[in-house]
Amino acid sequence: MRSLKIGEDRFIIPFNNKYFVVNEYTKNLIDVLNHSEDIQDFAKKQNLNETEAYALVSDLDQQIDDCDYYETNVSLPVPLKIQWKMTMRCNLRCKHCYLGELSQKCLPKADLLKIAKEINDFGVMEVTLTGGEVFTVDCIDEIIQYFHDHEIKMIIFTNALLANLHKEFLQSLQNKDLIKFIVSVDGTQKEHEFIRGEGTYHKTLQNIKMLTDTGFKVSVNMVLNKKNYTSLFDLVGELNTVGVSNLQLSELIPMGNATKDLCMDTNDFKKLQKIFRKIHKVYKTSNIFYSAEDDGTENEIFLLTEDKLQSFGQEKWKCGAGLGKGTILVNGDVVCCPFMENYTLGNVLSAPLNKVWDSENRYKFLKMIAENNNGHRKCIVLRRYQ
């Protein structure tokens, strides 16, 4: 289990798909749990009965899951999570791409490997690889292998059209739980190919099936717009056939190629809720999460269960940019938020990542966010367009 020491008897560790600050005893305890096949195995190794083991894990989860504590007390020497925009190359020109007109910009292999080493050497625990299209990077297999060997979790954003060219390599990776693919699918064939181009839909689904058959977790991301949301019901059915039950819905940001006429309005979102109910009634194994504004300030999180829309209450998510998350841009510049490149912290090719992260600009960025957020939890960049 990869961990990051941040102080005397204080470690950051992954647990239940979250990150927590714990002492060494708890770290070792969770390490045992992570290497146990199940709770019964864990109980046996710790000389506990199953009831005691379940109570211990439940109590541990409650004690360390305290967001306010981390915000107030934990100062990170480096970000826990890095989004790495590896390239501006892409094999598509999507109508809703917020990056706009892409170039062929990509650093040489030696620089890419240097950045990967910086990410590892300074304790980053999770990296999101994105672009452009990551599978256009010539040494992408070598970089994935490097992170895999150092137990760094990876989220790989991709359109999946080139994934089949890396099939043999991906099959060779031993710990496939370290990697999650998020594949862009924007409706069924007509809607998807309106956005992404003719001939892309079926090849995308074929390569998704290759990934799921290989043993990887695959989620699909769909950027909602006026042209595609009505196809959501049919899309869920088609995704189920290729082993995908998790679908996350993103709001369209009218930047770059995306125009405001593609944005959904209030009536569209009301119709979308009816579609969700129909989806869950027919496809009970599908997991679709989305959020909707309830009063124009906070987001309310919904999940479909059985035949009704269940609310989880106010969204607790807070933007981690500049605190636990950072972005490395295609030229090696480090920023807190990829949408606010004017707050550049430095370049990871010129200085160590921990030195770059300690830039005065990061504290200016955090002050600006505090002054402009007015208590909102939602991304201020996204809110700008609503």
Side-chain angles (χ1 to χ4, degrees):
M1 177 179 67
R2 188 176 177 90
S3 62
L4 175 65
K5 187 171 184 178
I6 61 169
E8 186 66 30
D9 200 27
R10 294 214 304 177
F11 298 82
I12 293 178
I13 61 164
F15 182 63
N16 283 354
N17 294 316
K18 300 175 184 177
Y19 291 93
F20 302 104
V21 176
V22 297
N23 60 21
E24 186 172 8
Y25 171 79
T26 305
K27 180 178 82 72
N28 293 337
L29 184 65
I30 293 177
D31 197 30
V32 172
L33 178 60
N34 282 340
H35 287 87
S36 300
E37 293 183 2
D38 51 36
I39 195 69
Q40 291 84 5
D41 185 31
F42 169 70
K44 184 177 180 181
K45 289 183 178 180
Q46 298 298 310
N47 295 318
L48 302 169
N49 62 45
E50 287 186 31
T51 301
E52 291 172 329
Y54 275 111
L56 178 61
V57 173
S58 176
D59 184 58
L60 179 64
D61 197 14
Q62 290 179 18
Q63 287 188 46
I64 63 181
D65 191 7
D66 185 348
C67 295
D68 292 333
Y69 170 81
Y70 299 114
E71 280 193 22
T72 305
N73 296 287
V74 177
S75 177
L76 301 176
V78 293
L80 289 179
K81 300 181 181 182
I82 282 287
Q83 179 189 56
W84 183 9
K85 290 184 174 290
M86 304 181 70
T87 180
M88 291 295 282
R89 297 175 189 163
C90 191
N91 50 331
L92 296 178
R93 293 294 182 268
C94 300
K95 286 184 171 63
H96 64 9
C97 180
Y98 70 86
L99 294 175
E101 195 62 33
L102 296 175
S103 68
Q104 294 299 305
K105 188 181 295 183
C106 187
L107 290 170
K109 177 181 176 179
D111 286 343
L112 292 172
L113 294 178
K114 182 177 180 180
I115 292 175
K117 188 174 187 302
E118 282 291 319
I119 290 171
N120 172 64
D121 286 353
F122 290 98
V124 174
M125 305 187 75
E126 183 176 313
V127 60
T128 297
L129 303 179
T130 184
E133 169 52 49
V134 294
F135 282 118
T136 65
V137 176
D138 295 334
C139 59
I140 186 62
D141 289 357
E142 190 172 344
I143 289 172
I144 292 173
Q145 184 74 61
Y146 178 81
F147 287 140
H148 172 274
D149 293 346
H150 288 87
E151 296 187 301
I152 297 176
K153 292 178 65 177
M154 285 168 273
I155 297 175
I156 300 177
F157 270 88
T158 176
N159 58 44
L161 290 173
L162 303 175
N164 60 306
L165 302 179
H166 303 259
K167 179 179 179 180
E168 185 175 344
F169 162 71
L170 293 171
Q171 288 175 332
S172 73
L173 294 172
Q174 293 185 342
N175 188 357
K176 294 179 175 60
D177 288 339
L178 281 174
I179 302 176
K180 176 182 178 181
F181 287 91
I182 299 182
V183 179
S184 300
V185 182
D186 290 303
T188 49
Q189 183 175 1
K190 178 181 177 182
E191 294 78 17
H192 179 87
E193 295 190 355
F194 167 78
I195 292 291
R196 296 183 171 268
E198 185 176 351
T200 58
Y201 182 72
H202 290 298
K203 188 173 182 180
T204 300
L205 263 58
Q206 288 171 4
N207 284 346
I208 286 175
K209 191 173 191 308
M210 180 274 292
L211 291 171
T212 57
D213 287 348
T214 302
F216 292 104
K217 296 176 182 177
V218 179
S219 294
V220 159
N221 183 73
M222 177 178 177
V223 179
L224 290 172
N225 62 68
K226 275 186 173 292
K227 298 286 187 181
N228 68 4
Y229 80 91
T230 56
S231 69
L232 191 58
F233 176 82
D234 292 331
L235 175 62
V236 170
E238 295 185 22
L239 291 177
N240 283 350
T241 67
V242 294
V244 174
S245 59
N246 290 318
L247 176 62
Q248 62 184 42
L249 302 177
S250 301
E251 291 186 55
L252 182 141
I253 299 177
M255 294 173 59
N257 295 342
T259 55
K260 288 188 176 182
D261 62 296
L262 285 174
C263 293
M264 295 169 61
D265 57 31
T266 302
N267 288 331
D268 293 325
F269 280 105
K270 287 181 180 178
K271 293 176 183 177
L272 185 64
Q273 290 189 19
K274 294 181 180 179
I275 295 173
F276 282 170
R277 292 187 178 95
K278 182 181 178 182
I279 288 171
H280 196 76
K281 187 173 184 179
V282 176
Y283 302 110
K284 293 184 181 298
T285 58
S286 296
N287 301 310
I288 303 177
F289 293 88
Y290 79 107
S291 62
E293 290 190 6
D294 61 337
D295 62 0
T297 57
E298 298 288 349
N299 271 19
E300 192 168 4
I301 296 297
F302 295 96
L303 171 68
L304 282 165
T305 58
E306 296 302 328
D307 194 21
K308 64 182 180 180
L309 197 64
Q310 177 182 345
S311 170
F312 282 106
Q314 295 298 320
E315 183 174 5
K316 294 182 179 180
W317 175 87
K318 294 183 179 181
C319 176
L323 291 170
K325 298 178 183 179
T327 296
I328 299 177
L329 301 177
V330 68
N331 63 349
D333 282 348
V334 179
V335 295
C336 298
C337 171
F339 296 102
M340 298 183 183
E341 296 181 13
N342 53 316
Y343 287 90
T344 303
L345 309 185
N347 191 290
V348 74
L349 294 173
S350 304
L353 181 56
N354 61 337
K355 299 295 184 183
V356 173
W357 191 244
D358 199 34
S359 164
E360 182 181 352
N361 262 3
R362 182 164 72 91
Y363 301 102
K364 290 180 179 178
F365 170 86
L366 293 173
K367 182 178 180 180
M368 179 275 296
I369 291 293
E371 290 174 348
N372 286 275
N373 236 344
N374 297 322
H376 297 301
R377 296 176 182 271
K378 190 173 181 179
C379 170
I380 65 171
V381 175
L382 190 60
R383 202 169 67 238
R384 182 184 301 164
Y385 295 99
Q386 295 178 335

